[in-house]
Coordinates of all heavy atoms in Angstrom, one line a residue:
M1 N -15.7 -2.5 3.6 CA -16.7 -2.8 4.5 C -16.9 -1.7 5.5 O -15.9 -1.1 5.9 CB -16.4 -4.2 5.2 CG -17.4 -4.6 6.2 SD -17.0 -6.2 7.0 CE -17.4 -7.3 5.7
S2 N -18.1 -1.5 6.0 CA -18.3 -0.5 7.0 C -19.2 -1.0 8.1 O -19.8 -2.1 7.9 CB -19.0 0.7 6.3 OG -20.2 0.3 5.8
C3 N -19.2 -0.3 9.2 CA -20.1 -0.6 10.3 C -20.6 0.6 10.9 O -20.1 1.7 10.6 CB -19.4 -1.5 11.3 SG -18.2 -0.5 12.2
V4 N -21.7 0.5 11.7 CA -22.3 1.6 12.3 C -21.9 1.7 13.7 O -21.9 0.7 14.5 CB -23.9 1.5 12.2 CG1 -24.5 2.7 13.0 CG2 -24.3 1.5 10.8
I5 N -21.4 2.8 14.2 CA -20.9 3.0 15.6 C -21.7 4.1 16.2 O -22.2 5.0 15.5 CB -19.4 3.2 15.6 CG1 -19.0 4.5 15.0 CG2 -18.6 2.0 15.1 CD1 -17.7 5.0 15.3
A6 N -21.8 4.0 17.5 CA -22.4 5.1 18.3 C -21.3 6.1 18.6 O -20.2 5.8 19.0 CB -23.1 4.6 19.5
A7 N -21.7 7.5 18.5 CA -20.8 8.5 18.7 C -21.5 9.5 19.5 O -22.7 9.7 19.3 CB -20.2 9.1 17.4
E8 N -20.8 10.2 20.4 CA -21.5 11.3 21.2 C -20.9 12.6 20.7 O -19.7 12.8 20.7 CB -21.1 11.1 22.7 CG -22.0 11.9 23.6 CD -22.0 11.5 25.0 OE1 -21.7 10.3 25.2 OE2 -22.2 12.3 25.9
T9 N -21.8 13.5 20.4 CA -21.4 14.9 20.0 C -21.0 15.7 21.2 O -21.2 15.4 22.3 CB -22.6 15.6 19.2 OG1 -23.6 15.8 20.1 CG2 -23.0 14.7 18.1
S10 N -20.5 17.0 20.9 CA -20.0 17.8 22.0 C -21.2 18.2 22.8 O -21.1 18.6 24.0 CB -19.3 19.0 21.4 OG -20.2 19.7 20.5
S11 N -22.4 18.2 22.3 CA -23.6 18.6 23.1 C -24.2 17.4 23.8 O -25.2 17.5 24.5 CB -24.7 19.2 22.2 OG -25.1 18.2 21.2
G12 N -23.6 16.3 23.7 CA -24.0 15.1 24.5 C -25.0 14.3 23.8 O -25.4 13.3 24.4
V13 N -25.4 14.6 22.6 CA -26.4 13.9 21.8 C -25.7 12.7 21.2 O -24.6 12.8 20.5 CB -27.0 14.7 20.7 CG1 -28.0 13.9 19.9 CG2 -27.7 15.9 21.3
R14 N -26.3 11.5 21.4 CA -25.7 10.3 20.7 C -26.3 10.1 19.3 O -27.4 10.4 19.1 CB -26.0 9.1 21.6 CG -25.3 9.0 22.9 CD -25.6 7.8 23.7 NE -25.1 6.5 23.0 CZ -23.8 6.1 23.0 NH1 -22.9 6.8 23.7 NH2 -23.5 5.0 22.3
R15 N -25.4 9.9 18.4 CA -25.8 9.6 17.1 C -25.0 8.4 16.5 O -24.1 8.0 17.1 CB -25.6 10.8 16.2 CG -24.1 11.3 16.2 CD -24.0 12.6 15.5 NE -22.6 13.2 15.6 CZ -21.7 12.9 14.8 NH1 -21.8 12.1 13.8 NH2 -20.4 13.4 15.0
K16 N -25.5 8.0 15.4 CA -24.8 6.9 14.8 C -24.0 7.3 13.6 O -24.4 8.2 12.9 CB -25.8 5.8 14.4 CG -26.5 5.1 15.5 CD -27.5 4.1 15.1 CE -28.2 3.4 16.3 NZ -29.1 2.4 15.9
E17 N -22.8 6.8 13.5 CA -21.9 7.0 12.3 C -21.6 5.8 11.6 O -21.4 4.7 12.2 CB -20.6 7.7 12.8 CG -20.8 9.1 13.4 CD -19.5 9.7 13.8 OE1 -18.5 9.0 13.7 OE2 -19.5 10.9 14.1
K18 N -21.5 5.9 10.3 CA -21.1 4.8 9.5 C -19.5 5.0 9.3 O -19.1 6.0 8.8 CB -21.9 4.8 8.2 CG -21.7 3.5 7.4 CD -22.6 3.6 6.2 CE -22.5 2.3 5.3 NZ -23.3 2.4 4.1
K19 N -18.8 4.0 9.6 CA -17.3 4.1 9.5 C -16.8 3.0 8.6 O -17.3 1.8 8.7 CB -16.7 3.9 10.8 CG -16.9 5.1 11.8 CD -16.1 6.3 11.4 CE -16.2 7.5 12.4 NZ -15.5 8.6 12.0
D20 N -15.8 3.3 7.8 CA -15.1 2.2 7.1 C -14.0 1.7 7.9 O -13.0 2.2 8.1 CB -14.5 2.8 5.8 CG -15.6 3.2 4.8 OD1 -16.6 2.5 4.7 OD2 -15.4 4.2 4.1
V21 N -14.3 0.5 8.6 CA -13.4 0.0 9.5 C -12.4 -1.0 8.9 O -11.4 -1.3 9.4 CB -14.1 -0.8 10.6 CG1 -14.9 0.2 11.5 CG2 -15.0 -1.9 10.0
F22 N -12.7 -1.3 7.6 CA -11.8 -2.2 6.9 C -11.2 -1.5 5.7 O -11.0 -2.2 4.7 CB -12.4 -3.5 6.6 CG -12.9 -4.3 7.8 CD1 -14.2 -4.5 8.0 CD2 -12.0 -4.8 8.7 CE1 -14.7 -5.2 9.1 CE2 -12.4 -5.5 9.9 CZ -13.8 -5.6 10.1
E23 N -10.9 -0.2 5.8 CA -10.5 0.6 4.7 C -9.2 0.0 4.1 O -8.9 0.0 2.9 CB -10.2 2.0 5.2 CG -9.9 2.9 4.1 CD -9.7 4.3 4.6 OE1 -10.6 4.7 5.5 OE2 -8.8 5.0 4.2
R24 N -8.3 -0.5 5.0 CA -7.0 -1.0 4.5 C -7.2 -2.4 3.7 O -6.2 -2.8 3.1 CB -6.0 -1.3 5.6 CG -5.6 0.0 6.3 CD -4.6 -0.2 7.3 NE -3.5 -1.1 6.9 CZ -2.7 -1.8 7.6 NH1 -2.9 -1.7 8.9 NH2 -1.8 -2.5 7.2
E25 N -8.3 -3.0 3.8 CA -8.4 -4.3 3.2 C -8.1 -4.3 1.7 O -7.6 -5.3 1.2 CB -9.9 -4.8 3.5 CG -10.0 -6.3 3.5 CD -11.4 -6.7 4.0 OE1 -12.4 -6.3 3.4 OE2 -11.4 -7.5 5.0
D26 N -8.4 -3.2 1.1 CA -8.3 -3.2 -0.4 C -6.9 -2.7 -0.8 O -6.6 -2.7 -2.0 CB -9.3 -2.1 -1.0 CG -10.7 -2.6 -0.8 OD1 -10.8 -3.9 -0.6 OD2 -11.6 -1.8 -0.8
R27 N -6.0 -2.3 0.2 CA -4.7 -1.8 -0.1 C -3.7 -2.9 -0.4 O -3.8 -4.0 0.3 CB -4.1 -0.9 1.0 CG -5.0 0.2 1.4 CD -5.2 1.2 0.2 NE -4.0 1.9 -0.1 CZ -3.6 3.0 0.3 NH1 -4.3 3.7 1.2 NH2 -2.5 3.6 -0.1
I28 N -2.8 -2.8 -1.4 CA -1.8 -3.8 -1.6 C -0.8 -3.8 -0.5 O -0.3 -2.7 -0.2 CB -1.1 -3.4 -3.0 CG1 -2.1 -3.3 -4.1 CG2 0.0 -4.5 -3.3 CD1 -3.0 -4.5 -4.3
M29 N -0.5 -4.9 0.1 CA 0.4 -5.0 1.2 C 1.7 -5.6 0.8 O 2.7 -5.4 1.6 CB -0.3 -5.8 2.3 CG -1.6 -5.2 2.8 SD -1.5 -3.4 3.2 CE -0.5 -3.5 4.8
K30 N 1.9 -6.2 -0.3 CA 3.2 -6.7 -0.7 C 3.4 -6.6 -2.2 O 2.4 -6.6 -3.0 CB 3.3 -8.2 -0.3 CG 3.5 -8.4 1.1 CD 3.7 -9.9 1.4 CE 3.8 -10.2 2.9 NZ 4.1 -11.5 3.2
Y31 N 4.6 -6.4 -2.6 CA 5.0 -6.3 -4.0 C 6.1 -7.3 -4.2 O 6.9 -7.6 -3.4 CB 5.4 -4.9 -4.4 CG 4.3 -3.9 -4.4 CD1 4.0 -3.1 -3.4 CD2 3.4 -3.8 -5.5 CE1 3.1 -2.1 -3.4 CE2 2.4 -2.9 -5.5 CZ 2.2 -2.1 -4.4 OH 1.2 -1.1 -4.5
R32 N 6.3 -7.6 -5.6 CA 7.5 -8.3 -6.0 C 7.9 -7.8 -7.3 O 7.2 -7.3 -8.1 CB 7.2 -9.8 -6.0 CG 6.5 -10.4 -7.2 CD 6.4 -11.9 -7.1 NE 6.0 -12.4 -8.5 CZ 6.9 -12.7 -9.5 NH1 8.2 -12.6 -9.2 NH2 6.5 -13.1 -10.6
V33 N 9.2 -8.0 -7.6 CA 9.8 -7.5 -8.9 C 10.0 -8.7 -9.7 O 10.7 -9.7 -9.3 CB 11.1 -6.7 -8.6 CG1 11.7 -6.3 -9.9 CG2 10.9 -5.5 -7.7
N34 N 9.6 -8.7 -10.9 CA 9.7 -9.9 -11.8 C 10.9 -9.8 -12.7 O 11.7 -8.8 -12.6 CB 8.4 -10.2 -12.5 CG 8.1 -9.1 -13.6 OD1 9.0 -8.5 -14.1 ND2 6.9 -8.9 -13.9
E35 N 11.1 -10.7 -13.6 CA 12.3 -10.8 -14.4 C 12.4 -9.8 -15.5 O 13.4 -9.6 -16.2 CB 12.5 -12.2 -15.0 CG 11.3 -12.6 -15.9 CD 10.0 -12.9 -15.2 OE1 9.9 -13.2 -14.1 OE2 8.9 -13.0 -16.0
E36 N 11.4 -9.0 -15.6 CA 11.4 -7.9 -16.6 C 12.2 -6.6 -16.2 O 12.4 -5.8 -17.1 CB 9.9 -7.4 -16.9 CG 9.0 -8.6 -17.5 CD 9.5 -9.1 -18.8 OE1 9.9 -8.3 -19.6 OE2 9.4 -10.3 -19.0
C37 N 12.6 -6.5 -15.0 CA 13.3 -5.4 -14.4 C 14.6 -5.2 -15.3 O 15.3 -6.1 -15.5 CB 13.6 -5.7 -13.0 SG 14.6 -4.3 -12.3
I38 N 14.7 -3.9 -15.7 CA 15.9 -3.5 -16.5 C 16.9 -2.7 -15.6 O 17.9 -2.2 -16.1 CB 15.5 -2.7 -17.7 CG1 14.7 -1.5 -17.4 CG2 14.8 -3.6 -18.7 CD1 14.4 -0.5 -18.5
G39 N 16.6 -2.6 -14.3 CA 17.5 -1.9 -13.4 C 17.5 -0.4 -13.5 O 18.6 0.2 -13.2
C40 N 16.5 0.2 -13.9 CA 16.5 1.7 -14.0 C 16.6 2.4 -12.7 O 17.0 3.5 -12.7 CB 15.3 2.2 -14.9 SG 13.8 2.2 -13.9
G41 N 16.1 1.8 -11.6 CA 16.3 2.4 -10.3 C 15.1 3.3 -9.9 O 15.2 3.8 -8.8
L42 N 14.1 3.5 -10.8 CA 13.1 4.4 -10.5 C 12.3 4.0 -9.2 O 12.0 4.9 -8.3 CB 12.1 4.5 -11.6 CG 11.0 5.6 -11.5 CD1 11.6 7.0 -11.6 CD2 9.8 5.4 -12.5
C43 N 12.1 2.8 -9.0 CA 11.3 2.3 -7.9 C 12.0 2.6 -6.6 O 11.5 3.0 -5.6 CB 10.9 0.8 -8.0 SG 12.3 -0.2 -8.2
A44 N 13.3 2.3 -6.6 CA 14.1 2.5 -5.4 C 14.2 4.0 -5.0 O 14.3 4.4 -3.8 CB 15.5 1.9 -5.5
G45 N 14.2 4.8 -6.0 CA 14.2 6.3 -5.8 C 12.8 6.8 -5.3 O 12.8 7.7 -4.5
T46 N 11.8 6.2 -5.8 CA 10.4 6.6 -5.4 C 10.0 6.1 -4.1 O 9.3 6.8 -3.3 CB 9.4 6.1 -6.5 OG1 9.8 6.6 -7.8 CG2 8.0 6.6 -6.2
C47 N 10.3 4.9 -3.8 CA 9.9 4.3 -2.5 C 11.0 3.4 -2.0 O 11.0 2.2 -2.0 CB 8.6 3.4 -2.7 SG 8.0 2.8 -1.2
P48 N 12.0 4.1 -1.4 CA 13.2 3.3 -0.8 C 12.8 2.4 0.4 O 13.6 1.5 0.8 CB 14.2 4.4 -0.4 CG 13.3 5.6 -0.2 CD 12.2 5.5 -1.2
E49 N 11.6 2.7 1.0 CA 11.2 1.8 2.1 C 10.8 0.4 1.7 O 10.8 -0.5 2.5 CB 9.9 2.4 2.8 CG 10.1 3.8 3.4 CD 9.8 5.0 2.4 OE1 9.7 4.7 1.2 OE2 9.7 6.1 2.8
V50 N 10.5 0.3 0.4 CA 10.0 -1.0 -0.1 C 11.0 -1.6 -1.2 O 11.2 -2.8 -1.2 CB 8.6 -0.9 -0.7 CG1 8.2 -2.2 -1.4 CG2 7.7 -0.4 0.4
F51 N 11.6 -0.8 -2.1 CA 12.4 -1.2 -3.1 C 13.8 -0.8 -3.0 O 14.1 0.3 -2.6 CB 11.8 -0.7 -4.5 CG 10.4 -1.1 -4.7 CD1 9.4 -0.2 -4.5 CD2 10.1 -2.4 -5.2 CE1 8.1 -0.5 -4.7 CE2 8.8 -2.7 -5.4 CZ 7.8 -1.8 -5.2
S52 N 14.7 -1.7 -3.3 CA 16.2 -1.4 -3.4 C 16.8 -2.1 -4.6 O 16.2 -3.0 -5.1 CB 16.8 -1.8 -2.0 OG 16.7 -3.3 -1.8
M53 N 18.0 -1.7 -4.9 CA 18.7 -2.4 -6.0 C 19.6 -3.4 -5.5 O 20.4 -3.2 -4.5 CB 19.5 -1.3 -6.8 CG 18.7 -0.1 -7.3 SD 17.2 -0.7 -8.3 CE 18.0 -1.4 -9.7
G54 N 19.5 -4.6 -6.0 CA 20.3 -5.7 -5.7 C 21.7 -5.7 -6.2 O 22.0 -4.9 -7.2
A55 N 22.6 -6.5 -5.8 CA 24.0 -6.6 -6.3 C 24.0 -7.0 -7.7 O 24.9 -6.6 -8.5 CB 24.8 -7.6 -5.5
D56 N 23.0 -7.6 -8.2 CA 22.9 -8.0 -9.6 C 22.3 -6.9 -10.5 O 22.1 -7.2 -11.8 CB 22.1 -9.3 -9.8 CG 20.7 -9.2 -9.2 OD1 20.4 -8.1 -8.7 OD2 19.9 -10.2 -9.3
G57 N 22.0 -5.8 -10.0 CA 21.6 -4.6 -10.8 C 20.1 -4.6 -11.0 O 19.6 -3.6 -11.7
V58 N 19.3 -5.5 -10.4 CA 17.9 -5.4 -10.6 C 17.3 -5.1 -9.2 O 17.9 -5.4 -8.2 CB 17.3 -6.7 -11.2 CG1 17.8 -6.8 -12.6 CG2 17.6 -7.9 -10.4
A59 N 16.0 -4.6 -9.2 CA 15.4 -4.2 -8.0 C 14.8 -5.5 -7.2 O 14.5 -6.5 -7.8 CB 14.2 -3.3 -8.3
V60 N 14.8 -5.3 -5.9 CA 14.1 -6.2 -5.1 C 13.1 -5.5 -4.2 O 13.4 -4.4 -3.8 CB 15.1 -7.1 -4.2 CG1 15.9 -8.0 -5.1 CG2 16.0 -6.1 -3.4
A61 N 12.1 -6.2 -3.8 CA 11.1 -5.6 -2.9 C 11.2 -6.3 -1.5 O 11.7 -7.4 -1.4 CB 9.7 -5.8 -3.4
I62 N 10.9 -5.6 -0.5 CA 10.9 -6.1 0.8 C 10.0 -7.3 0.9 O 9.0 -7.3 0.2 CB 10.6 -5.1 1.9 CG1 9.2 -4.5 1.7 CG2 11.7 -4.1 2.1 CD1 8.8 -3.7 2.9
E63 N 10.3 -8.3 1.7 CA 9.4 -9.5 1.8 C 8.3 -9.3 2.8 O 7.3 -10.1 2.7 CB 10.3 -10.7 2.1 CG 11.3 -11.0 1.0 CD 12.1 -12.3 1.3 OE1 11.8 -12.9 2.3 OE2 13.0 -12.5 0.5
T64 N 8.4 -8.3 3.6 CA 7.4 -8.1 4.6 C 6.3 -7.2 4.0 O 6.4 -6.6 2.9 CB 7.9 -7.5 5.9 OG1 8.6 -6.2 5.5 CG2 8.9 -8.4 6.6
D65 N 5.2 -7.0 4.7 CA 4.1 -6.1 4.3 C 4.7 -4.7 4.1 O 5.6 -4.3 4.9 CB 3.0 -6.1 5.3 CG 2.1 -7.3 5.2 OD1 2.3 -8.1 4.3 OD2 1.2 -7.4 6.1
V66 N 4.1 -4.0 3.2 CA 4.5 -2.6 3.0 C 4.1 -1.8 4.2 O 2.9 -1.8 4.6 CB 3.8 -2.0 1.7 CG1 4.1 -0.6 1.5 CG2 4.2 -2.8 0.5
P67 N 5.0 -1.0 4.7 CA 4.6 -0.2 5.9 C 3.6 0.8 5.5 O 3.5 1.3 4.3 CB 5.9 0.6 6.2 CG 7.0 -0.2 5.6 CD 6.4 -0.9 4.4
E68 N 2.7 1.0 6.4 CA 1.5 1.9 6.2 C 1.9 3.3 5.6 O 1.3 3.7 4.6 CB 0.8 2.2 7.5 CG -0.4 3.1 7.4 CD -1.6 2.4 6.9 OE1 -1.8 1.2 7.1 OE2 -2.5 3.1 6.3
E69 N 3.0 3.8 6.1 CA 3.4 5.1 5.5 C 4.0 5.1 4.1 O 4.2 6.2 3.5 CB 4.4 5.8 6.6 CG 5.7 5.1 6.7 CD 5.7 3.9 7.7 OE1 4.6 3.6 8.2 OE2 6.8 3.4 8.0
A70 N 4.3 3.9 3.6 CA 4.9 3.7 2.3 C 3.9 3.2 1.3 O 4.3 3.0 0.1 CB 6.1 2.9 2.4
L71 N 2.6 3.1 1.7 CA 1.7 2.5 0.8 C 1.5 3.3 -0.5 O 1.5 2.8 -1.6 CB 0.3 2.3 1.5 CG 0.2 1.2 2.4 CD1 -1.1 1.3 3.2 CD2 0.2 -0.1 1.7
D72 N 1.4 4.6 -0.4 CA 1.2 5.5 -1.5 C 2.4 5.5 -2.4 O 2.3 5.4 -3.7 CB 0.8 6.9 -1.1 CG -0.6 7.0 -0.5 OD1 -1.4 6.0 -0.8 OD2 -0.9 7.9 0.2
S73 N 3.6 5.7 -1.8 CA 4.8 5.8 -2.6 C 5.1 4.4 -3.3 O 5.6 4.4 -4.4 CB 6.0 6.3 -1.8 OG 6.3 5.4 -0.8
A74 N 4.8 3.3 -2.6 CA 5.0 2.0 -3.3 C 4.1 1.8 -4.5 O 4.5 1.3 -5.5 CB 4.8 0.9 -2.2
A75 N 2.8 2.3 -4.4 CA 1.9 2.2 -5.5 C 2.4 3.0 -6.6 O 2.3 2.7 -7.8 CB 0.5 2.6 -5.0
E76 N 3.0 4.2 -6.3 CA 3.5 5.2 -7.3 C 4.7 4.5 -8.0 O 4.9 4.6 -9.2 CB 3.9 6.4 -6.6 CG 4.4 7.5 -7.5 CD 4.9 8.8 -6.8 OE1 4.4 9.0 -5.7 OE2 5.6 9.5 -7.4
A77 N 5.5 3.9 -7.3 CA 6.7 3.1 -7.8 C 6.2 2.1 -8.8 O 6.8 1.9 -9.9 CB 7.5 2.5 -6.7
K78 N 5.2 1.3 -8.4 CA 4.7 0.3 -9.3 C 4.1 0.9 -10.6 O 4.4 0.4 -11.7 CB 3.5 -0.5 -8.6 CG 2.9 -1.5 -9.5 CD 1.7 -2.2 -8.8 CE 1.1 -3.3 -9.7 NZ 0.5 -2.8 -10.9
D79 N 3.3 1.9 -10.5 CA 2.8 2.6 -11.7 C 3.9 3.2 -12.5 O 3.7 3.3 -13.7 CB 1.8 3.7 -11.2 CG 0.6 3.1 -10.5 OD1 0.3 1.9 -10.7 OD2 -0.2 3.8 -9.9
G80 N 5.0 3.7 -11.9 CA 6.0 4.4 -12.7 C 7.0 3.4 -13.3 O 7.8 3.9 -14.1
C81 N 7.0 2.2 -13.0 CA 8.0 1.3 -13.6 C 7.9 1.2 -15.1 O 6.8 0.9 -15.6 CB 7.9 -0.1 -13.0 SG 9.0 -1.3 -13.8
P82 N 8.9 1.6 -15.9 CA 8.8 1.7 -17.3 C 8.5 0.4 -18.0 O 8.0 0.4 -19.2 CB 10.1 2.3 -17.7 CG 11.1 1.9 -16.7 CD 10.3 1.9 -15.4
V83 N 8.8 -0.8 -17.4 CA 8.6 -2.1 -18.1 C 7.5 -2.9 -17.3 O 7.4 -4.1 -17.6 CB 9.9 -2.8 -18.2 CG1 10.8 -2.1 -19.1 CG2 10.5 -3.1 -16.8
G84 N 6.9 -2.3 -16.3 CA 5.8 -3.1 -15.6 C 6.3 -4.3 -14.9 O 5.7 -5.3 -14.8
A85 N 7.5 -4.1 -14.3 CA 8.2 -5.3 -13.6 C 7.7 -5.5 -12.2 O 8.0 -6.4 -11.6 CB 9.6 -5.1 -13.7
I86 N 6.9 -4.5 -11.6 CA 6.5 -4.6 -10.2 C 5.1 -5.2 -10.2 O 4.1 -4.7 -10.9 CB 6.6 -3.3 -9.5 CG1 8.0 -2.8 -9.6 CG2 6.0 -3.4 -8.2 CD1 8.2 -1.3 -9.1
E87 N 4.9 -6.3 -9.5 CA 3.6 -7.0 -9.4 C 3.1 -7.0 -7.9 O 3.9 -6.9 -7.0 CB 3.7 -8.4 -9.9 CG 4.3 -8.6 -11.3 CD 4.5 -10.0 -11.6 OE1 4.7 -10.8 -10.7 OE2 4.6 -10.3 -12.8
E88 N 1.8 -7.1 -7.8 CA 1.3 -7.4 -6.5 C 1.7 -8.8 -6.0 O 1.6 -9.8 -6.9 CB -0.2 -7.3 -6.5 CG -0.7 -5.9 -6.9 CD -2.2 -5.9 -7.2 OE1 -2.8 -6.9 -6.9 OE2 -2.6 -4.8 -7.8
A89 N 2.1 -9.0 -4.9 CA 2.5 -10.3 -4.4 C 1.4 -11.0 -3.6 O 0.5 -10.3 -3.0 CB 3.8 -10.2 -3.5
Ligands
F3S101 FE1 13.4 -2.3 -12.3 FE2 11.1 -1.1 -12.7 FE3 12.4 -0.7 -10.5 S1 12.7 -1.5 -14.3 S2 14.5 -0.9 -11.1 S3 11.4 -2.6 -11.2 S4 11.3 0.8 -11.7

């Protein structure tokens, strides 16, 4: 979604800009690891901010929203899982 905002240029001329104010709305904010996990550890290596290995040898995802700075690496971890065990929560 976008909106139009007023902006002032360095010469003082006011103009309108279209900004994507809800850019994050489409981003995945949470993940979960399902029962297909084989414990390869790729996700924890790719995005340790979100994924870690549990005592039972399978991965777990943080229960809170993915931190902004980890959105790309978390998506990379999901895409890289060899068995597709990472789902959007
Ligand atoms: Fe498991 Fe896939 Fe991570 S197999 S350890 S969820 S990369």
